[in-house]
Amino acid sequence: MNPQIDIILSKTKKWQEEFKKLRMIILDCELTEELKWGWPCYMFQGKNIVLMHGFKEYCALLFFKGALLKDPKGILIQQTQNVQAARQIRFTNVQEIVKIKSVLKAYINEAIKVEKSGLKVTLKPTAAFTMPEEFKNKLDKIPALKKAFEALTPGRQRAYLLYFSAPKQCQTREARVEKCMQPIRDGKGLNDE
């Protein structure tokens, strides 16, 4: 047990009992516990397997390669249409967790097997994502911005393209592009500090 996780979980205002129960189930599967992205992350030989996290309406286990898991119980959820690899199992109370404890262990053990096997989720290439006209125009006018964008990792490129494409109004898309030009030049992703 990682003492950092003890501290984080003691400070959570919501889902504390659910997190404690999930933590015990996960640790029983012999995963190591780290703090990543502000949440408890469970790893096998340095590879991320599952993350515990909380939201307003539910808490969840997020399987990093959930798209590769068999889902005989039909409980894995794709958070949004843009999430390619990860899948969640959501909970709203401790009883739901207790009820499917053995199922959770089976899913976690399968996720470990997937990692051991070296399987990878085939991600859509960045080129398959829509590039909004407002951003394309900036890249055409500013070669340094285009070069900086192309130097970003594919995941960072996709995050920007999704962010720029989301608004319905042209003005909002333009404002987002303007706001993100400097971070792109700095080699930063959308959510990098």
Side-chain angles (χ1 to χ4, degrees), residues 24-39:
M24 292 300 107
I25 293 168
I26 297 166
L27 289 175
D28 199 33
C29 295
E30 301 181 23
L31 295 175
T32 56
E33 184 175 58
E34 296 292 330
L35 185 64
K36 291 190 172 188
W37 307 285
W39 295 104

Side-chain angles (χ1 to χ4, degrees), residues 49-64:
I49 301 295
V50 66
L51 181 88
M52 249 183 0
H53 57 161
F55 298 88
K56 187 176 177 181
E57 303 294 324
Y58 60 88
C59 65
L61 286 184
L62 178 128
F63 291 85
F64 287 90

Side-chain angles (χ1 to χ4, degrees), residues 28-30 63 104-114:
D28 199 33
C29 295
E30 301 181 23
F63 291 85
L104 292 176
K105 283 187 175 186
Y107 277 57
I108 293 165
N109 287 323
E110 185 187 351
I112 294 168
K113 286 180 188 166
V114 164

Side-chain angles (χ1 to χ4, degrees), residues 18-95:
E18 290 80 4
F19 285 148
K20 285 179 186 174
K21 191 66 168 170
L22 288 169
R23 185 183 192 198
M24 292 300 107
I25 293 168
I26 297 166
L27 289 175
D28 199 33
C29 295
E30 301 181 23
L31 295 175
T32 56
E33 184 175 58
E34 296 292 330
L35 185 64
K36 291 190 172 188
W37 307 285
W39 295 104
C41 182
Y42 299 87
M43 303 164 68
F44 175 78
Q45 296 181 348
K47 301 286 186 178
N48 299 332
I49 301 295
V50 66
L51 181 88
M52 249 183 0
H53 57 161
F55 298 88
K56 187 176 177 181
E57 303 294 324
Y58 60 88
C59 65
L61 286 184
L62 178 128
F63 291 85
F64 287 90
K65 292 183 178 179
L68 298 177
L69 300 179
K70 296 177 193 103
D71 187 16
K73 300 292 183 187
I75 57 176
L76 292 175
I77 297 168
Q78 183 177 359
Q79 276 179 282
T80 70
Q81 66 180 17
N82 296 318
V83 173
Q84 296 182 66
R87 298 293 183 269
Q88 290 181 332
I89 301 175
R90 297 177 180 173
F91 307 96
T92 57
N93 61 61
V94 136
Q95 293 76 22

Side-chain angles (χ1 to χ4, degrees), residues 90-138:
R90 297 177 180 173
F91 307 96
T92 57
N93 61 61
V94 136
Q95 293 76 22
E96 291 175 346
I97 297 165
V98 171
K99 190 171 152 184
I100 65 165
K101 178 181 175 182
S102 62
V103 172
L104 292 176
K105 283 187 175 186
Y107 277 57
I108 293 165
N109 287 323
E110 185 187 351
I112 294 168
K113 286 180 188 166
V114 164
E115 194 54 54
K116 282 181 181 178
S117 74
L119 287 172
K120 304 248 185 262
V121 176
T122 303
L123 301 175
K124 290 191 302 187
T126 304
F129 288 80
T130 303
M131 182 175 294
E133 200 61 37
E134 297 81 2
F135 186 52
K136 185 180 178 327
N137 291 340
K138 287 286 184 192

